[in-house]
Amino acid sequence: MKEIVSLMDYRSSIKVVDATLRDGGLVNDFHFTDEFVRALYEANIRAGVDYMEMGYKASREMFDESKFGKWKFCDDDAIREIVGDNDTGLKIAVMADVGRCNYKKDIVSRSESPIDLIRVATYLNTIPAAADMIEDAKKKGYEVSCNIMAISSGQESDLRVALDILGKTSVDVFYIVDSYGSLYPEQIARIADTYMEFAGKYGKKLGIHAHNNQQLAFANTIEAVGDGVDWLDATYSGMGRGAGNCAMELLLGFLRNPKYNNFYVIQFIENYMNQLKEDGVVWGFDLQYMMTGLLNQHPRTAIQFTKERRKDYSEFYKEVVAQD
């Protein structure tokens, strides 16, 4: 059992990362208005959030620009239109997926960019390519984190090798990522111990990015905090791919750090997130996501089920069990 001080006190080392535009953009193909993005930026500043992830640095050669909003690509000029010189305590982040971005061209020197943090996303089988991206971003002057996705479907031995490879790079933060929303708090505790071993060995920080397929994103994030994980991802109203993510309003309500002010998160939800739902944007826990989470499957089938507005849950359960 955790020592109560681990959960009741606050640590100045904790960093909260708002992933609403990036993970939430997977729900609406990044079609956010500038008004929405500016208001989110202001809400994050007032709430004391540490980092705001604006979206992806995706390759225009791989993705049809006409099908997505601009936060799929996060041009530096588009970011500046929102944040200006960003003379605030809020830092700006973007995600770069291994194999889905032209990082050597599209990520310029930090001195020429409004971006502070590059979040490299990788699977276990693309760790060498992730290492190259990390070093490229570091040489350009950025803070760098690395999200190792879909770890619930990998082997622990492979994870340990990956963490050892990444530990030898100049990455600042390793991220635990529950891509399928299939992990339970006791599993997070064991995984955090493994990550902590390599973080301690190489002097790295740890982060967590949780999905809510089994309504455990918040619980798993709390577990990680008690295990010593400092970098915590969350989204407003839990907006994110499929079942969504750890809700920012729950996370800031839980953290005891006086620098965070949950009122501005609640205010933004009232003024903007509720309108998204009224406009027909769909995300959040539902039975189809629970099923893929239980079976440790990618939620793509559940996402398609949702798009088709199906309600035959028992038939869907038979379909996903047959794929297991």
Side-chain angles (χ1 to χ4, degrees), residues 19-138:
T20 306
L21 285 185
R22 201 273 307 164
D23 215 320
L26 297 171
V27 178
N28 68 347
D29 291 331
F30 304 90
H31 291 301
F32 297 102
T33 66
D34 284 356
E35 177 190 353
F36 179 98
V37 179
R38 287 193 184 97
L40 180 59
Y41 171 69
E42 292 295 335
N44 279 324
I45 292 170
R46 293 171 179 171
V49 171
D50 299 284
Y51 290 81
M52 177 175 173
E53 188 177 37
M54 302 294 290
Y56 284 97
K57 277 286 189 182
S59 169
R60 285 181 168 85
E61 295 177 1
M62 295 186 66
F63 297 95
D64 185 348
E65 191 172 358
S66 67
K67 295 180 179 179
F68 298 96
K70 58 188 173 183
W71 306 111
K72 178 74 171 179
F73 307 99
C74 282
D75 289 339
D76 286 3
D77 288 344
I79 296 173
R80 286 194 185 92
E81 288 175 3
I82 301 297
V83 309
D85 293 330
N86 189 33
D87 187 19
T88 75
L90 176 68
K91 293 186 176 182
I92 303 302
V94 298
M95 181 165 281
D97 269 347
V98 170
R100 298 177 184 175
C101 65
N102 188 344
Y103 60 97
K104 292 186 177 179
K105 174 185 175 184
D106 293 336
I107 298 177
V108 300
S109 172
R110 169 67 186 88
S111 62
E112 302 171 16
S113 174
I115 298 166
D116 301 287
L117 169 68
I118 303 296
R119 283 157 57 94
V120 174
T122 182
Y123 291 100
L124 286 169
N125 65 338
T126 55
I127 290 293
D132 188 67
M133 290 176 65
I134 288 165
E135 298 304 347
D136 181 78
K138 264 297 177 180

Side-chain angles (χ1 to χ4, degrees), residues 134-168:
I134 288 165
E135 298 304 347
D136 181 78
K138 264 297 177 180
K139 288 176 183 177
K140 291 173 178 174
Y142 294 94
E143 298 175 57
V144 185
S145 65
C146 185
N147 287 27
I148 309 176
M149 300 182 288
I151 58 172
S152 62
S153 63
Q155 299 293 321
E156 182 180 355
S157 57
D158 292 339
L159 178 61
R160 295 181 68 86
V161 170
L163 290 171
D164 197 54
I165 292 171
L166 291 176
K168 294 172 184 175

